[in-house]
Each structure stands twice: as structure tokens, then as C-alpha cells.
mmCIF file of all heavy atoms in Angstrom:
data_model
loop_
_atom_site.group_PDB
_atom_site.id
_atom_site.type_symbol
_atom_site.label_atom_id
_atom_site.label_comp_id
_atom_site.label_asym_id
_atom_site.label_seq_id
_atom_site.Cartn_x
_atom_site.Cartn_y
_atom_site.Cartn_z
ATOM 1 N N ARG G 248 173.271 -145.461 -1.937
ATOM 2 C CA ARG G 248 174.148 -145.302 -3.220
ATOM 3 C C ARG G 248 174.319 -146.531 -4.038
ATOM 4 O O ARG G 248 174.300 -146.442 -5.268
ATOM 5 C CB ARG G 248 175.459 -144.633 -2.790
ATOM 6 C CG ARG G 248 175.475 -143.078 -2.655
ATOM 7 C CD ARG G 248 176.777 -142.531 -2.527
ATOM 8 N NE ARG G 248 177.670 -143.199 -1.635
ATOM 9 C CZ ARG G 248 177.796 -142.746 -0.278
ATOM 10 N NH1 ARG G 248 177.188 -141.685 0.193
ATOM 11 N NH2 ARG G 248 178.597 -143.368 0.454
ATOM 12 N N LEU G 249 174.520 -147.653 -3.266
ATOM 13 C CA LEU G 249 174.787 -148.944 -4.019
ATOM 14 C C LEU G 249 173.483 -149.484 -4.693
ATOM 15 O O LEU G 249 173.689 -150.205 -5.696
ATOM 16 C CB LEU G 249 175.380 -149.797 -3.022
ATOM 17 C CG LEU G 249 176.790 -149.583 -2.570
ATOM 18 C CD1 LEU G 249 177.086 -150.480 -1.432
ATOM 19 C CD2 LEU G 249 177.751 -149.682 -3.795
ATOM 20 N N VAL G 250 172.339 -149.165 -4.091
ATOM 21 C CA VAL G 250 171.069 -149.579 -4.805
ATOM 22 C C VAL G 250 170.320 -148.382 -5.241
ATOM 23 O O VAL G 250 169.284 -148.038 -4.654
ATOM 24 C CB VAL G 250 170.284 -150.373 -3.704
ATOM 25 C CG1 VAL G 250 169.133 -151.103 -4.307
ATOM 26 C CG2 VAL G 250 171.242 -151.445 -3.007
ATOM 27 N N PRO G 251 170.743 -147.772 -6.321
ATOM 28 C CA PRO G 251 170.116 -146.473 -6.761
ATOM 29 C C PRO G 251 168.667 -146.519 -7.239
ATOM 30 O O PRO G 251 167.968 -145.621 -7.286
ATOM 31 C CB PRO G 251 171.026 -146.009 -7.846
ATOM 32 C CG PRO G 251 171.691 -147.325 -8.338
ATOM 33 C CD PRO G 251 171.807 -148.199 -7.243
ATOM 34 N N ALA G 252 168.263 -147.875 -7.650
ATOM 35 C CA ALA G 252 166.972 -147.898 -8.232
ATOM 36 C C ALA G 252 165.934 -147.823 -7.102
ATOM 37 O O ALA G 252 164.698 -147.609 -7.371
ATOM 38 C CB ALA G 252 166.769 -149.218 -8.958
ATOM 39 N N SER G 253 166.240 -148.091 -5.814
ATOM 40 C CA SER G 253 165.291 -148.165 -4.704
ATOM 41 C C SER G 253 165.102 -146.782 -4.269
ATOM 42 O O SER G 253 165.948 -145.980 -4.128
ATOM 43 C CB SER G 253 165.682 -149.166 -3.719
ATOM 44 O OG SER G 253 166.738 -148.607 -2.885
ATOM 45 N N THR G 254 163.904 -146.557 -3.639
ATOM 46 C CA THR G 254 163.512 -145.270 -3.011
ATOM 47 C C THR G 254 164.064 -145.460 -1.588
ATOM 48 O O THR G 254 164.252 -146.638 -1.023
ATOM 49 C CB THR G 254 162.098 -144.935 -3.007
ATOM 50 O OG1 THR G 254 161.340 -145.972 -2.346
ATOM 51 C CG2 THR G 254 161.569 -144.772 -4.462
ATOM 52 N N ALA G 255 164.195 -144.301 -0.807
ATOM 53 C CA ALA G 255 164.533 -144.454 0.610
ATOM 54 C C ALA G 255 163.537 -145.227 1.453
ATOM 55 O O ALA G 255 163.930 -146.059 2.271
ATOM 56 C CB ALA G 255 164.725 -142.952 1.138
ATOM 57 N N LYS G 256 162.232 -144.980 1.056
ATOM 58 C CA LYS G 256 161.321 -145.801 1.771
ATOM 59 C C LYS G 256 161.261 -147.263 1.596
ATOM 60 O O LYS G 256 161.198 -148.105 2.548
ATOM 61 C CB LYS G 256 159.851 -145.234 1.309
ATOM 62 C CG LYS G 256 158.620 -146.036 2.023
ATOM 63 C CD LYS G 256 157.399 -145.461 1.585
ATOM 64 C CE LYS G 256 156.187 -146.316 2.159
ATOM 65 N NZ LYS G 256 155.040 -145.923 1.422
ATOM 66 N N MET G 257 161.582 -147.561 0.292
ATOM 67 C CA MET G 257 161.582 -149.021 0.038
ATOM 68 C C MET G 257 162.904 -149.801 0.598
ATOM 69 O O MET G 257 162.758 -150.850 1.113
ATOM 70 C CB MET G 257 161.649 -149.240 -1.511
ATOM 71 C CG MET G 257 161.687 -150.617 -1.973
ATOM 72 S SD MET G 257 160.286 -151.674 -1.469
ATOM 73 C CE MET G 257 158.909 -150.900 -2.332
ATOM 74 N N LEU G 258 163.955 -149.054 0.605
ATOM 75 C CA LEU G 258 165.247 -149.486 1.150
ATOM 76 C C LEU G 258 165.173 -149.778 2.588
ATOM 77 O O LEU G 258 165.400 -150.791 3.203
ATOM 78 C CB LEU G 258 166.488 -148.567 0.742
ATOM 79 C CG LEU G 258 167.740 -149.032 1.437
ATOM 80 C CD1 LEU G 258 168.208 -150.420 0.746
ATOM 81 C CD2 LEU G 258 168.759 -148.034 1.067
ATOM 82 N N THR G 259 164.590 -148.770 3.350
ATOM 83 C CA THR G 259 164.151 -148.881 4.823
ATOM 84 C C THR G 259 163.287 -150.071 5.065
ATOM 85 O O THR G 259 163.616 -150.854 5.984
ATOM 86 C CB THR G 259 163.575 -147.596 5.275
ATOM 87 O OG1 THR G 259 164.520 -146.435 5.119
ATOM 88 C CG2 THR G 259 163.379 -147.802 6.723
ATOM 89 N N GLN G 260 162.236 -150.164 4.379
ATOM 90 C CA GLN G 260 161.356 -151.305 4.520
ATOM 91 C C GLN G 260 161.988 -152.639 4.260
ATOM 92 O O GLN G 260 161.914 -153.528 5.158
ATOM 93 C CB GLN G 260 160.081 -151.175 3.500
ATOM 94 C CG GLN G 260 159.158 -152.149 3.612
ATOM 95 C CD GLN G 260 157.942 -152.097 2.608
ATOM 96 O OE1 GLN G 260 157.927 -151.215 1.806
ATOM 97 N NE2 GLN G 260 157.078 -152.993 2.579
ATOM 98 N N GLN G 261 162.871 -152.800 3.203
ATOM 99 C CA GLN G 261 163.533 -154.038 2.973
ATOM 100 C C GLN G 261 164.510 -154.372 4.085
ATOM 101 O O GLN G 261 164.593 -155.593 4.530
ATOM 102 C CB GLN G 261 164.177 -153.944 1.596
ATOM 103 C CG GLN G 261 163.318 -153.779 0.489
ATOM 104 C CD GLN G 261 162.569 -154.959 0.072
ATOM 105 O OE1 GLN G 261 163.088 -156.009 -0.266
ATOM 106 N NE2 GLN G 261 161.247 -154.882 0.082
ATOM 107 N N LEU G 262 165.241 -153.417 4.593
ATOM 108 C CA LEU G 262 166.175 -153.609 5.593
ATOM 109 C C LEU G 262 165.471 -153.929 6.989
ATOM 110 O O LEU G 262 165.929 -154.882 7.660
ATOM 111 C CB LEU G 262 167.009 -152.267 5.811
ATOM 112 C CG LEU G 262 168.044 -152.081 4.789
ATOM 113 C CD1 LEU G 262 168.576 -150.607 4.997
ATOM 114 C CD2 LEU G 262 169.203 -153.067 4.882
ATOM 115 N N ARG G 263 164.348 -153.396 7.148
ATOM 116 C CA ARG G 263 163.623 -153.692 8.447
ATOM 117 C C ARG G 263 163.059 -155.291 8.316
ATOM 118 O O ARG G 263 163.027 -155.852 9.367
ATOM 119 C CB ARG G 263 162.469 -152.817 8.673
ATOM 120 C CG ARG G 263 162.929 -151.513 9.184
ATOM 121 C CD ARG G 263 161.739 -150.485 9.481
ATOM 122 N NE ARG G 263 162.337 -149.245 9.957
ATOM 123 C CZ ARG G 263 161.623 -148.029 9.840
ATOM 124 N NH1 ARG G 263 160.444 -148.041 9.448
ATOM 125 N NH2 ARG G 263 162.194 -147.012 10.361
ATOM 126 N N GLU G 264 162.603 -155.552 7.244
ATOM 127 C CA GLU G 264 162.137 -157.008 6.962
ATOM 128 C C GLU G 264 163.319 -157.854 7.159
ATOM 129 O O GLU G 264 163.147 -159.063 7.862
ATOM 130 C CB GLU G 264 161.551 -157.108 5.560
ATOM 131 C CG GLU G 264 160.126 -156.441 5.516
ATOM 132 C CD GLU G 264 159.618 -156.532 4.077
ATOM 133 O OE1 GLU G 264 160.112 -157.297 3.273
ATOM 134 O OE2 GLU G 264 158.582 -155.810 3.896
ATOM 135 N N LEU G 265 164.544 -157.585 6.594
ATOM 136 C CA LEU G 265 165.636 -158.467 6.787
ATOM 137 C C LEU G 265 166.081 -158.631 8.197
ATOM 138 O O LEU G 265 166.484 -159.602 8.705
ATOM 139 C CB LEU G 265 166.809 -157.961 6.039
ATOM 140 C CG LEU G 265 166.691 -158.112 4.391
ATOM 141 C CD1 LEU G 265 167.828 -157.418 3.652
ATOM 142 C CD2 LEU G 265 166.641 -159.622 4.128
ATOM 143 N N GLU G 266 166.102 -157.449 8.943
ATOM 144 C CA GLU G 266 166.281 -157.464 10.439
ATOM 145 C C GLU G 266 165.309 -158.211 11.199
ATOM 146 O O GLU G 266 165.772 -158.951 12.068
ATOM 147 C CB GLU G 266 166.402 -155.985 10.862
ATOM 148 C CG GLU G 266 166.831 -155.863 12.361
ATOM 149 C CD GLU G 266 166.951 -154.408 12.870
ATOM 150 O OE1 GLU G 266 166.272 -153.580 12.244
ATOM 151 O OE2 GLU G 266 167.376 -154.166 13.834
ATOM 152 N N ALA G 267 164.141 -158.151 10.858
ATOM 153 C CA ALA G 267 163.076 -159.013 11.644
ATOM 154 C C ALA G 267 163.253 -160.349 11.377
ATOM 155 O O ALA G 267 162.931 -161.252 12.194
ATOM 156 C CB ALA G 267 161.651 -158.429 11.035
ATOM 157 N N ASP G 268 163.701 -160.739 10.167
ATOM 158 C CA ASP G 268 164.011 -162.192 9.844
ATOM 159 C C ASP G 268 165.387 -162.762 10.325
ATOM 160 O O ASP G 268 165.829 -163.778 10.060
ATOM 161 C CB ASP G 268 163.869 -162.342 8.263
ATOM 162 C CG ASP G 268 162.414 -162.220 7.831
ATOM 163 O OD1 ASP G 268 161.566 -162.440 8.513
ATOM 164 O OD2 ASP G 268 162.322 -161.900 6.633
ATOM 165 N N ASP G 269 166.041 -161.860 10.972
ATOM 166 C CA ASP G 269 167.444 -162.100 11.620
ATOM 167 C C ASP G 269 168.399 -162.439 10.516
ATOM 168 O O ASP G 269 169.353 -163.231 10.662
ATOM 169 C CB ASP G 269 167.361 -163.237 12.694
ATOM 170 C CG ASP G 269 166.664 -162.896 13.829
ATOM 171 O OD1 ASP G 269 166.769 -161.578 14.221
ATOM 172 O OD2 ASP G 269 166.003 -163.732 14.578
ATOM 173 N N LEU G 270 168.311 -161.789 9.377
ATOM 174 C CA LEU G 270 169.232 -162.059 8.329
ATOM 175 C C LEU G 270 170.349 -160.875 8.255
ATOM 176 O O LEU G 270 171.433 -161.092 7.779
ATOM 177 C CB LEU G 270 168.549 -162.067 6.938
ATOM 178 C CG LEU G 270 167.685 -163.240 6.713
ATOM 179 C CD1 LEU G 270 166.975 -163.118 5.347
ATOM 180 C CD2 LEU G 270 168.516 -164.410 6.684
ATOM 181 N N VAL G 271 170.097 -159.759 8.812
ATOM 182 C CA VAL G 271 171.017 -158.790 9.051
ATOM 183 C C VAL G 271 170.918 -158.263 10.507
ATOM 184 O O VAL G 271 169.839 -158.422 11.214
ATOM 185 C CB VAL G 271 170.819 -157.578 8.115
ATOM 186 C CG1 VAL G 271 170.970 -157.948 6.668
ATOM 187 C CG2 VAL G 271 169.458 -156.921 8.376
ATOM 188 N N HIS G 272 172.033 -157.628 10.965
ATOM 189 C CA HIS G 272 172.115 -157.096 12.251
ATOM 190 C C HIS G 272 172.365 -155.612 12.212
ATOM 191 O O HIS G 272 173.202 -155.150 11.379
ATOM 192 C CB HIS G 272 173.203 -157.720 13.073
ATOM 193 C CG HIS G 272 173.485 -156.992 14.380
ATOM 194 N ND1 HIS G 272 172.692 -157.090 15.434
ATOM 195 C CD2 HIS G 272 174.566 -156.225 14.737
ATOM 196 C CE1 HIS G 272 173.177 -156.385 16.501
ATOM 197 N NE2 HIS G 272 174.272 -155.807 16.057
#
């Protein structure tokens, strides 16, 4: 909801990349 311009697929991909880089838990 906070990032309405992104699609669900793109948001998931970005979150997985951030998790892989240890920037988010």
C-alpha cells in the first residue's frame, strides 16, 4: 500500500534482494 507504483512481483523481488544483501530482516 505504501509503494503503490510497484507491482507485487517487483516489490517481492526488491525485498528479496534487500534480504540477500542483509539490509532487511
